[in-house]
Amino acid sequence: MSAEWSPAASAQRLVSVLLRYGLSVVSVGAAALIAGPLGPLLIPDPRERFVDAIALLYAAAVFSAWLGGIGPGLLAVVLAVLAIDYFITPPLFVVSLDTSYLPRLAIFALSALLVGWLSVRRRRVEEALRRSHEELEVRVQERIADLTRSNQQLRVEIDARKRAEDTLQEQAALLDLTHDTIFVRDVNDVITYWNRGAEELYGWTSSRLSARIRTT
């Protein structure tokens, strides 16, 4: 069973949903509390209290949508509209949904939903850009690691080739110490090595022999 469908993952998703919707209820409830029972104590002027209450409920709806998503944002808008109708529009402390206030409530709800939707879209774009940046960083690190391994392997091959060349030069120097005639031909029957003994026997130096081979 994959971790995606495990009971722990399901419980974690349920807790996340409850927290997001709970945040909507708490944020709008706090704003409604300030707009209603605590309003006269905190903001004595009725006109200022009206403006501040609308602003608080509007901010609570947008905040819920930005943090929780469209579902919690929609719930917050509905609760905010009910709070406005109950605490702010007459008759007070009654959910009447008076037709004379419905256009204002509709404008409030639509504008809050629009701003919340735009906030959600912006947050998703930012998260997508962040994930893309992280994936790009991972790919860059993987590419750097591949290049590092390739460079190390190339360095090992170069060192091995250099050691082989040094060994051949040492062997060639040892062969030059003997007076025996030693020369080497390749698959094309071209002489690739001509030691000092061969020079003494045939009278051709290795450099002269190489020059003759290049001219033929």
Side-chain angles (χ1 to χ4, degrees):
M1 180 181 296
S2 62
E4 184 179 357
W5 298 99
S6 65
S10 300
Q12 186 176 3
R13 285 195 297 269
L14 178 60
V15 170
S16 176
V17 171
L18 292 177
L19 287 176
R20 289 188 288 113
Y21 279 92
L23 176 65
S24 300
V25 175
V26 171
S27 59
V28 176
L33 185 64
I34 296 174
L38 299 180
L41 300 176
L42 298 176
I43 311 172
D45 189 345
R47 289 173 297 181
E48 292 183 3
R49 184 166 65 249
F50 174 82
V51 174
D52 292 342
I54 294 294
L56 281 173
L57 291 168
Y58 188 85
V62 173
F63 177 75
S64 300
W66 183 72
L67 285 182
I70 294 298
L74 181 60
L75 174 62
V77 168
V78 172
L79 294 177
V81 169
L82 294 176
I84 292 173
D85 185 63
Y86 187 80
F87 290 111
I88 299 175
T89 60
L92 298 179
F93 310 117
V94 176
V95 180
S96 61
L97 295 178
D98 191 348
T99 55
S100 61
Y101 291 101
L102 283 181
R104 299 178 183 178
L105 294 176
I107 292 174
F108 172 87
L110 290 176
S111 61
L113 285 175
L114 177 60
V115 173
W117 178 79
L118 291 176
S119 299
V120 171
R121 291 289 299 175
R122 178 180 177 180
R123 185 179 180 185
R124 289 178 178 175
V125 170
E126 290 175 351
E127 291 178 352
L129 289 175
R130 179 182 54 80
R131 288 194 297 269
S132 299
H133 180 72
E134 291 176 352
E135 293 174 357
L136 180 60
E137 287 290 337
V138 171
R139 289 197 293 269
V140 169
Q141 294 299 327
E142 291 176 350
R143 182 58 177 168
I144 292 175
D146 292 339
L147 291 175
T148 301
R149 287 192 295 269
S150 299
N151 289 336
Q152 291 176 349
Q153 183 178 0
L154 181 60
R155 190 177 298 110
V156 170
E157 293 177 355
I158 292 174
D159 292 341
R161 181 175 299 179
K162 186 176 183 304
R163 288 194 298 269
E165 291 176 353
D166 292 342
T167 301
L168 290 176
Q169 291 178 358
E170 293 175 357
Q171 292 176 352
L174 292 176
L175 292 177
D176 272 341
L177 296 178
T178 181
H179 294 284
D180 295 333
T181 301
I182 301 175
F183 58 90
V184 179
R185 298 176 184 269
D186 60 11
V187 294
N188 296 319
D189 206 27
V190 175
I191 297 175
T192 59
Y193 178 75
W194 185 266
N195 77 332
R196 187 174 302 173
E199 292 178 355
E200 294 175 353
L201 178 63
Y202 296 104
W204 289 80
T205 63
S206 58
S207 58
R208 183 180 177 187
L209 179 66
S210 299
R212 182 178 178 81
I213 291 175
R214 287 194 297 269
T215 57
T216 58

